[in-house]
Amino acid sequence: MKMYFNKYSRSFLAGVLLLTAASCKKEYADPSGPSYDQAISSPNALADLTVGLQNWYTANRTSILYTSITTGSLLTGETYVVNAGNADEGQLYAGGASLQNTNAVVTGMWSVSNKIIFDADRVLNNAAAIIPDVNYRTGVIAYASLFKALAIGNMSMFWTNVPDTIGTNVPFITNQEGYRKAVRVINGALNVLAQDTISAGFRANIPPGVNIVNSLNALKARYSLFAGDYDTALAAANKVSGTSTFNYNTVITNPIFTLVTTTNNIYQIVDSAMGLPVGLQPDLADKRVPFYINRGTNPKFGVKGFYTALAQGIPVFLPGEMTLIKAECYARKDDLGNGLTELNKVVTKQPGADAFGVGADLPAEDAATKDELLALIYKHRHIELFMSGMELEDQRRFNRPVTERKRSWLPFPFVERNDNTNIPPDPAF
């Protein structure tokens, strides 16, 4: 029953064009593939559908990974558009009213997110009835829940409101409710994992790299933090150990490297300030700067980090993110001592001590007040998690001036607005 990941390497551009045409009704029939009745008719078919979620999330220009990193970095001044012919990325770089409801990057993120949620729901609603092997079923449920949570969480980072369900004329919830919903999805998976283990057979059929339990706890920490549930975020972050990556190969390639780094034709890094304002810019000795930014001639500042090779893996989360979540939780709970201690674990960390080589190797920071500590945590999140897609959420959460970004929220795509009377108005900025 071995299912190789490259079986999902069909044209995703064609798939997203199909999705954008049907997105408003949340109907995702693919004429080039099996019907949805066929897709959930057997354990093998349901597992195939589950494994395909990772490809939708991580592969090609239509993936959530590409669209979220691109959107976050362009709107917060980390990157700029190299070639004006890339009109959709150009709208993001211009920001403000220039960003249209028809923007392909924005529409792609919306449509693929809903596609993942739709498919994950099909899996979660049918797994118990179709998969008799409890341990194999546990893996399917946990894996589908992981990508459903990622899709809901990513939408919540970029839109004021997100759909509450999948269907016709669906209601909306706030982005904060979206984060809490993502956590509930994760809790469902963790509850299943507390009862049964994942079978070796299921693990053999998913792409290597993703540590399911670590990823679920890391995402629980991330989205609980974003929702303001600091106790839950802190507890979840403390359960994370080890790493988890989205792996690539010569068929399914690292999309930022393939489309951005190697072509130098879509966008590149603005400069070594990493999009931060004066007063928060990286120290000249910060070793994370050369980790993430390549110094050259054309471009002078180039994309590096996790986007330097065709088959380079991209972390689901960074160890430094978990430490900074702890720092922020303590700070917001007015425990400045523990907050500063956690922050300085990141500040003083040497690259060799980090699983991915991300290390500032700087002297410890000091902060006399809560505001000073939060400003430092924001600074080091921005550097440690450079080009992660979380920039806009961080800027809003830390109440950074709107002058530091080109938009706070994305407009709702016309593919949703045209047929959904429940859709909220577009944000002004």
Side-chain angles (χ1 to χ4, degrees), residues 78-404:
E78 291 178 340
T79 58
Y80 70 97
V81 172
V82 174
N83 183 347
N86 297 295
D88 296 292
E89 284 85 356
Q91 287 181 16
L92 288 163
Y93 181 55
S98 298
L99 185 57
Q100 300 175 14
N101 303 74
T102 55
N103 184 278
V105 176
V106 173
T107 300
M109 190 195 307
W110 181 269
S111 299
V112 172
S113 296
N114 280 291
K115 158 69 174 172
I116 289 173
I117 295 166
F118 178 85
D119 280 353
D121 279 348
R122 297 282 283 189
V123 171
L124 296 172
N125 292 336
N126 291 280
I130 292 176
I131 304 176
D133 183 329
V134 65
N135 300 109
Y136 199 95
R137 184 170 67 238
T138 296
V140 166
I141 291 171
Y143 203 65
S145 298
L146 171 63
F147 288 97
K148 180 179 179 179
L150 276 167
I152 296 171
N154 271 273
M155 292 178 76
S156 300
M157 288 195 295
F158 289 100
W159 280 279
T160 56
N161 300 78
V162 298
D164 189 27
T165 58
I166 296 296
T168 302
N169 213 38
V170 300
F172 278 71
I173 57 178
T174 67
N175 82 307
Q176 289 292 296
E177 291 168 330
Y179 289 137
R180 290 191 283 272
K181 183 172 184 175
V183 172
R184 289 196 297 273
V185 172
I186 293 167
N187 283 339
L190 291 172
N191 289 338
V192 170
L193 288 166
Q195 301 298 318
D196 298 290
T197 59
I198 298 173
S199 71
F202 179 77
R203 292 185 187 278
N205 281 323
I206 63 174
V210 174
N211 182 305
I212 297 175
V213 175
N214 268 335
S215 296
L216 287 168
N217 279 313
L219 294 178
K220 182 176 180 177
R222 178 186 297 173
Y223 298 140
S224 295
L225 173 73
F226 294 171
D229 187 351
Y230 305 124
D231 290 333
T232 300
L234 187 60
N238 279 323
K239 293 180 180 178
V240 178
S241 61
T243 62
S244 185
T245 58
F246 296 125
N247 287 0
Y248 296 92
N249 53 45
T250 56
V251 177
I252 306 296
T253 62
N254 181 310
I256 304 297
F257 173 79
T258 304
L259 297 164
V260 177
T261 312
T262 192
T263 66
N264 190 29
N265 191 46
I266 300 181
Y267 59 85
Q268 281 293 353
I269 292 171
V270 173
D271 56 31
S272 58
M274 303 177 86
L276 285 166
V278 173
L280 293 180
Q281 292 174 356
D283 188 288
L284 293 176
D286 193 326
K287 292 181 179 177
R288 294 171 298 186
V289 177
F291 176 87
Y292 281 116
I293 300 176
N294 182 57
R295 296 295 293 263
T297 54
N298 183 31
K300 184 176 180 181
F301 302 97
V303 172
K304 196 180 173 188
F306 299 105
Y307 318 115
T308 63
L310 201 70
Q312 184 177 10
I314 298 174
V316 180
F317 63 90
L318 285 177
E321 180 190 358
M322 296 300 105
T323 307
L324 288 165
I325 285 174
K326 297 176 195 178
E328 185 177 344
C329 288
Y330 282 126
R332 295 194 185 277
K333 287 160 57 69
D334 297 311
D335 185 344
L336 304 190
N338 277 321
L340 186 62
T341 296
E342 294 296 331
L343 170 64
N344 280 324
K345 290 178 183 178
V346 169
V347 174
T348 62
K349 179 178 57 177
Q350 296 184 3
D354 184 85
F356 296 102
V358 183
D361 193 15
L362 293 171
E365 298 272 21
D366 194 16
T369 67
K370 180 177 180 178
D371 286 344
E372 288 178 7
L373 179 56
L374 286 172
L376 287 171
I377 292 169
Y378 171 74
K379 168 185 174 177
H380 287 285
R381 276 187 63 91
H382 198 95
I383 301 169
E384 185 88 1
L385 309 179
F386 185 66
M387 286 184 66
S388 65
M390 291 185 274
E391 299 90 344
L392 273 182
E393 165 57 42
D394 281 1
Q395 288 196 349
R396 296 191 307 262
R397 193 172 71 261
F398 283 89
N399 295 315
R400 297 302 306 169
V402 295
T403 53
E404 293 180 13

